[in-house]
Amino acid sequence: MTQFTPRVFSGIKPSGGLTLGNYLGAIKRFVDMQGTDFETMYCVVDLHAITVWQDPAELRDATREVAAGFLASGIDPEKSTLFNQSQVPAHAELGWLFSCVARVGWMNRMTQFKDKAGSGAEKVSLGLYAYPALMAADILLYHATHVPVGEDQKQHVELTRDIANKFNHDFKVDFFPETNPVIEGPATRVMNLRDGTKKMSKSGESDMERINMTDTADLIAKKFKKAKTDPEPLPETLDGLSTRPEAKNLVDIYAGLSGQTSEQVIAEYAGAGWGRFKPALADLAVEKLAPISSEMARYMDDKAEIDRILARGAEKARAIADPILKQTKEIIGFVQ
Ligand code: TYM
């Protein structure tokens, strides 16, 4: 078996703003993996964003805002490679090669496609359907071994493993590594503040159901105050939350923000009513998010600096990606 360099790759789509779900499920964990034994690569996946319509000016803005979110949260471009996907053409090229490896039957099982396309599957873009093959390309273009993501991306990382296996098997090579999804911590699935059975997402109907990374302190406090709960106080153990999705969500968010486990939070707040817990949660969220949102605003005031960072990151990314793509083409049998 080939030994692969331990390398982390992950990405975030620039479609709409960043939410607390993106922060706790992804960005905060990206920062934690930086400076460990892993080489870390983080990408603003703009090619993925255009699987649904994006206004050009908003796409540019959202791309810079996601980059600003990474930087403000502690991603250091000297320690991690930070770039936007469309500046590395090899993503699109390997994406095509992988759409010739992936099977239609595999794609048909992707729950996220089914959710997003709903009953209008005939009308969505072909790109939305092919999206997981591009995501596999993002990861395998760097021979990434570990992919930190929220729970909703697990199936896509598993598909990445299937694509790598089939490629290796069909061409009788040991070229692409087996990628491990890293889905850890208390907040890998942050739920909607108004309905604890739905994921918190940037595209939900009401702004009150999510916390945006750019929300003001007052708005954060208001959203937590109005978050749906039940009349019971917090239980003595985590088991007591198993049938209380909204309550569990707020405990998990507290744990994610404070760096504790959900068990530790329950131990501290056992028996507390919402009148005590919600203000504590709002204070904690403001304490953690306010410095990040003001730092994001500072970066957004200097777009040229963001663009320079992304360009420099893309150059570093291409230096890894291009030889891997070249070898892939050699294996497939293209005359080069
Ligand atoms: P995206 O842009 O929808 O979300 C970015 C990251 O945030 C996580 N996330 C959440 N985590 C916890 N609770 C939530 N409510 C929540 N909402 C979002 C997502 O799990 C994700 O980790 N297909 C990917 C982007 C992508 C990618 C990749 C990721 C493209 N290529 C290669 C990893 C590796 C996506 O749409 O994520």
Side-chain angles (χ1 to χ4, degrees):
M1 283 289 279
T2 314
Q3 276 298 320
F4 293 96
T5 315
R7 184 177 285 147
V8 164
F9 180 95
S10 201
I12 296 190
K13 281 195 307 276
S15 48
L18 292 168
T19 68
L20 183 62
N22 296 130
Y23 179 65
L24 293 178
I27 302 179
K28 185 169 187 286
R29 299 170 51 230
F30 299 171
V31 176
D32 292 341
M33 293 184 98
Q34 182 178 258
T36 59
D37 291 343
F38 291 106
E39 187 180 327
T40 43
M41 308 195 64
Y42 299 121
C43 186
V44 186
V45 286
D46 46 10
L47 296 177
H48 283 266
I50 63 159
T51 53
V52 297
W53 168 252
Q54 302 294 333
D55 172 83
E58 284 171 22
L59 176 62
R60 253 187 294 276
D61 211 46
T63 301
R64 292 180 179 129
E65 191 179 304
V66 173
F70 277 124
L71 293 163
S73 303
I75 297 299
D76 175 351
E78 297 300 317
K79 292 186 187 153
S80 295
T81 303
L82 176 62
F83 66 108
N84 61 314
Q85 188 186 23
S86 62
Q87 295 208 64
V88 183
H91 285 257
E93 200 170 342
L94 189 62
W96 171 258
L97 303 181
F98 282 170
S99 58
C100 299
V101 176
R103 305 288 93 182
V104 166
W106 301 356
M107 304 314 250
N108 286 341
R109 284 197 289 276
M110 294 297 115
T111 55
Q112 196 168 69
F113 176 75
K114 288 191 234 176
D115 290 348
K116 285 196 176 177
S119 52
E122 297 275 316
K123 292 212 172 77
V124 299
S125 72
L126 179 57
L128 189 69
Y129 185 64
Y131 174 120
L134 179 61
M135 179 160 157
D138 300 339
I139 296 167
L140 294 171
L141 188 55
Y142 302 98
H143 281 179
T145 55
H146 292 77
V147 179
V149 279
E151 223 168 82
D152 61 331
Q153 296 299 320
K154 184 166 186 239
Q155 197 184 29
H156 293 158
V157 182
E158 284 166 359
L159 184 95
T160 300
R161 292 163 72 102
D162 292 339
I163 290 177
N165 276 333
K166 182 163 165 57
F167 183 97
N168 286 346
H169 178 267
D170 289 353
F171 293 101
K172 300 184 179 55
V173 289
D174 181 20
F175 185 62
F176 288 116
E178 193 156 86
T179 301
N180 301 294
V182 185
I183 304 173
E184 286 167 2
T188 54
R189 190 171 176 81
V190 176
M191 308 308 275
N192 179 320
L193 297 181
R194 287 305 179 85
D195 177 351
T197 62
K198 286 194 196 142
K199 194 182 72 168
M200 182 184 287
S201 82
K202 23 194 161 195
S203 56
E205 289 150 30
S206 155
D207 194 56
M208 290 302 285
E209 62 186 49
R210 63 180 163 265
I211 304 283
N212 304 299
M213 281 180 73
T214 49
D215 282 348
T216 60
D218 285 350
L219 195 54
I220 292 174
K222 182 172 162 202
K223 286 179 176 177
F224 278 123
K225 194 166 155 220
K226 292 203 179 259
K228 185 178 168 201
T229 42
D230 52 38
E232 302 297 315
L234 286 172
E236 302 288 322
T237 64
L238 211 52
D239 284 351
L241 289 177
S242 60
T243 55
R244 301 171 59 189
E246 285 85 12
K248 179 171 186 308
N249 188 39
L250 296 187
V251 169
D252 290 345
I253 290 175
Y254 191 105
L257 285 168
S258 65
Q260 290 169 289
T261 62
S262 301
E263 284 86 348
Q264 286 169 322
V265 176
I266 281 292
E268 189 180 337
Y269 285 97
W274 296 108
R276 182 173 153 225
F277 188 74
K278 279 184 169 180
L281 174 58
D283 286 350
L284 175 66
V286 169
E287 180 198 321
K288 299 288 177 185
L289 296 179
I292 298 178
S293 75
S294 59
E295 193 61 8
M296 273 175 80
R298 199 182 61 76
Y299 276 108
M300 288 303 279
D301 276 343
D302 190 355
K303 296 192 171 57
E305 173 64 5
I306 296 181
D307 294 0
R308 266 194 300 277
I309 292 172
L310 292 175
R312 171 84 190 94
E315 200 180 305
K316 286 201 287 178
R318 285 193 297 267
I320 303 175
D322 290 351
I324 291 180
L325 178 66
K326 190 167 192 301
Q327 276 172 281
T328 310
K329 290 164 80 171
E330 196 64 46
I331 292 169
I332 290 176
F334 291 145
V335 174
Q336 305 194 65

